[in-house]
Amino acid sequence: QVQLVESGGGLVQPGGSLRLSCAASGFTFNQYAINWYRQAPGKEREFVAIINGAGDFTNTADSVKGRFIVSRDNAKNTVYLQMNSLKPEDTAVYYCKTGRIRGQAYWGQGTQVTVSS
């Protein structure tokens, strides 16, 4: 069964850094893109970053460009989101998501990131 598990969230001060992990299982990991999304209270879920299966293409949302870096280690079946220069507006639940696997995307359970002094 396909499973994604996010970890690494927590409380961090503005200007700080945090690294999120997305551990995957149940599919051929290096064949699929992985996306990061986030959702703040009262707001719609928004795209944050994407990395292709090989890890040689990435893109990030304008709101995080230059601060967040998405990467993957296919030998470990893990995708990372390195978050630097964090701002209070980055506070949200962060989710990882697969590209469509036989027509179906799969989501992790989310991890809470809170940026506050």
Side-chain angles (χ1 to χ4, degrees), residues 6-79:
E6 301 95 335
S7 62
L11 176 64
V12 64
Q13 293 184 339
S17 296
L18 209 58
R19 188 178 76 161
L20 306 184
S21 297
C22 173
S25 60
F27 63 101
T28 306
F29 183 68
N30 65 3
Q31 295 183 359
Y32 292 91
I34 300 292
N35 298 261
W36 287 95
Y37 283 75
R38 67 186 183 186
Q39 188 166 27
K43 300 191 68 176
E44 293 187 0
R45 191 168 296 187
E46 65 174 340
F47 168 81
V48 175
I50 187 170
I51 185 165
N52 72 343
D56 58 4
F57 174 83
T58 65
N59 193 28
T60 53
D62 288 345
S63 59
V64 306
K65 198 151 292 186
R67 300 188 298 121
F68 290 12
I69 301 166
V70 61
S71 62
R72 69 194 293 161
D73 186 341
N74 284 342
K76 297 181 179 179
N77 280 15
T78 301
V79 170

Side-chain angles (χ1 to χ4, degrees), residues 66-107:
R67 300 188 298 121
F68 290 12
I69 301 166
V70 61
S71 62
R72 69 194 293 161
D73 186 341
N74 284 342
K76 297 181 179 179
N77 280 15
T78 301
V79 170
Y80 304 98
L81 186 67
Q82 178 67 46
M83 305 185 296
N84 300 315
S85 302
L86 282 161
K87 305 174 180 180
E89 51 262 48
D90 296 318
T91 295
V93 177
Y94 284 72
Y95 300 88
C96 57
K97 181 190 75 70
T98 69
R100 295 185 186 275
I101 302 171
R102 295 177 293 279
Q104 175 70 52
Y106 294 84
W107 294 80

